[in-house]
Amino acid sequence: MEAKYNISVVVPLYNEAESLPELYDWIVRVMQAHGFTYEIIFVNDGSTDASWQVIEGLAKKDACVHGIKFRRNYGKSPALFCGFRAAQGSVVITMDADLQDSPDEIPELYRMITEEGYDLVSGYKQKRYDPLSKTIPTKLFNATARRVSGIKNLHDFNCGLKAYRIDVVKNIEVYGEMHRYIPYLAKNAGFAKIGEKVVHHQARKFGKTKFGGLNRFVNGYLDLLSLWFMDSFGLKPMHVFGFLGSIMFFLGFVAVVVVGAIKLVALSNGTPAPLVTSSPYFYIALTTMILGTQLFVAGFLGELISRNAEGRNDYKIEKEV
């Protein structure tokens, strides 16, 4: 698409009324100092404080400010999705609204996209001001994400400060809680040049974090598993379910044959033989065959659904002539 601005800054937020005026002034100061044309898109994710009133006030005095208001709290991923859909800049910058991300990083992020040819540049908060209860699980989480995604050069997948080429945000779908894995989504969509920049991390100035709790890490791993499966087998479910089902059915069938053969050998030799049904291996084999059949049927049904899905041929085309 043809860009209207040099930069679109997308800021998802929830109850950040105190920090918004300072964040706005800081972004404008940086943009004007470097001569960028820009827009600032604040996405109000169902805030219960005065955040929307602050955004309305900023929009009245500055035409570069755009606001999107959700009726309720949906989460960061839907907020980013709507911000990406509205963005019209050649480079899209995302940052959190809590003043922990520095707008002073924007010019260098912009340069890396426009001059070095990166599709996506992710911030890396090497020195953090978060408690150990957050930093240690984050390190474990990022190590797992690097391993599963194959993006070895990223240290902080979940950093809110990122820069994107406009084509990237228009060709990925951020849903659920997938904002943690935007680099992985971009890679799966064919945008392979992904870089990293060490960025300054500031201590929170107002309020408290909105993303605490153990469930964020549990959900994070479940989302990563889901994304890996969809990337590997989403369009070919029969390959995994059918394969596992066939293996289990075959092993169960062989086990049943062995149990039956032992019984027949004993009968042919005229020796007493226990009932087939008295052997625990018979029931294990039977259960394995049933599970194998169910897995195979699940793969077959998944294949039918995939072939008839609306987005089955949703391939990302970079150019047409």
Side-chain angles (χ1 to χ4, degrees):
M1 63 170 292
E2 188 174 345
K4 189 175 178 181
Y5 308 99
N6 296 135
I7 297 175
S8 293
V9 182
V10 177
V11 183
L13 62 106
Y14 177 70
N15 290 347
E16 298 288 358
E18 294 174 301
S19 62
L20 288 178
E22 185 174 338
L23 177 62
Y24 162 77
D25 289 337
W26 196 352
I27 293 173
V28 170
R29 193 162 59 245
V30 170
M31 295 298 182
Q32 292 179 347
H34 291 82
F36 293 130
T37 58
Y38 66 95
E39 63 175 346
I40 307 171
I41 304 172
F42 291 110
V43 186
N44 181 25
D45 184 24
S47 297
T48 56
D49 66 355
S51 293
W52 183 246
Q53 286 75 17
V54 174
I55 294 169
E56 285 183 318
L58 294 174
K60 284 180 182 177
K61 75 174 185 178
D62 188 349
C64 293
V65 174
H66 305 153
I68 298 172
K69 182 183 181 184
F70 287 171
R71 289 186 178 274
R72 65 174 179 86
N73 180 248
Y74 287 102
K76 191 172 184 179
S77 292
L80 286 174
F81 176 78
C82 291
F84 288 163
R85 188 170 57 184
Q88 299 181 73
S90 62
V91 174
V92 178
I93 307 285
T94 59
M95 62 173 50
D96 294 334
D98 54 13
L99 297 175
Q100 290 189 283
D101 295 333
S102 171
D104 289 332
E105 306 283 358
I106 291 176
E108 179 61 15
L109 290 169
Y110 178 81
R111 188 196 66 78
M112 292 178 72
I113 296 290
T114 57
E115 295 182 18
E116 296 186 26
Y118 285 102
D119 296 315
L120 184 157
V121 179
S122 182
Y124 172 30
K125 297 172 181 176
Q126 201 166 24
K127 183 179 180 181
R128 302 183 68 99
Y129 292 92
D130 293 323
L132 285 176
S133 61
K134 187 175 179 181
T135 55
I136 292 176
T138 296
K139 287 182 181 296
L140 294 173
F141 163 76
N142 282 309
T144 306
R146 281 195 298 274
R147 178 83 176 180
V148 173
S149 69
I151 307 174
K152 306 294 186 183
N153 62 319
L154 291 192
H155 294 84
D156 190 357
F157 278 71
N158 199 27
C159 178
L161 184 57
K162 288 183 173 66
Y164 313 80
R165 191 180 304 280
I166 186 66
D167 293 340
V168 176
V169 302
K170 299 299 184 182
N171 282 280
I172 60 174
E173 182 183 1
V174 189
Y175 60 94
E177 295 184 33
M178 291 296 180
H179 58 273
R180 302 179 181 95
Y181 305 112
I182 290 180
Y184 196 5
L185 291 171
K187 178 189 173 187
N188 291 344
F191 299 99
K193 192 165 185 184
I194 298 171
E196 182 175 77
K197 180 187 182 301
V198 175
V199 297
H200 181 60
H201 183 226
Q202 303 180 122
R204 174 176 272 275
K205 191 170 182 179
F206 303 105
K208 60 182 181 179
T209 180
K210 313 301 190 299
F211 302 105
L214 180 63
N215 65 318
R216 65 191 286 266
F217 298 108
V218 175
N219 292 340
Y221 279 107
L222 292 175
D223 287 339
L224 181 60
L225 181 62
S226 174
L227 190 55
W228 170 80
F229 182 85
M230 291 302 296
D231 175 42
S232 302
F233 305 107
L235 295 177
K236 44 184 186 294
M238 192 61 172
H239 287 199
V240 60
F241 287 111
F243 175 73
L244 290 175
S246 298
I247 291 294
M248 290 188 71
F249 183 88
F250 177 75
L251 292 175
F253 180 76
V254 169
V256 166
V257 170
V258 170
V259 170
I262 293 172
K263 173 78 170 182
L264 291 175
V265 168
L267 290 175
S268 64
N269 291 333
T271 58
L275 292 172
V276 170
T277 53
S278 66
S279 171
Y281 297 108
F282 172 77
Y283 295 101
I284 293 172
L286 197 62
T287 303
T288 303
M289 291 178 67
I290 293 171
L291 288 175
T293 303
Q294 289 180 331
L295 282 171
F296 188 89
V297 171
F300 182 69
L301 292 175
E303 193 77 16
L304 288 176
I305 293 170
S306 175
R307 287 177 182 272
N308 290 281
E310 185 177 342
R312 64 190 180 281
N313 292 318
D314 183 20
Y315 308 118
K316 309 305 180 188
I317 299 172
E318 182 177 355
K319 248 179 214 181
E320 289 187 13
V321 293

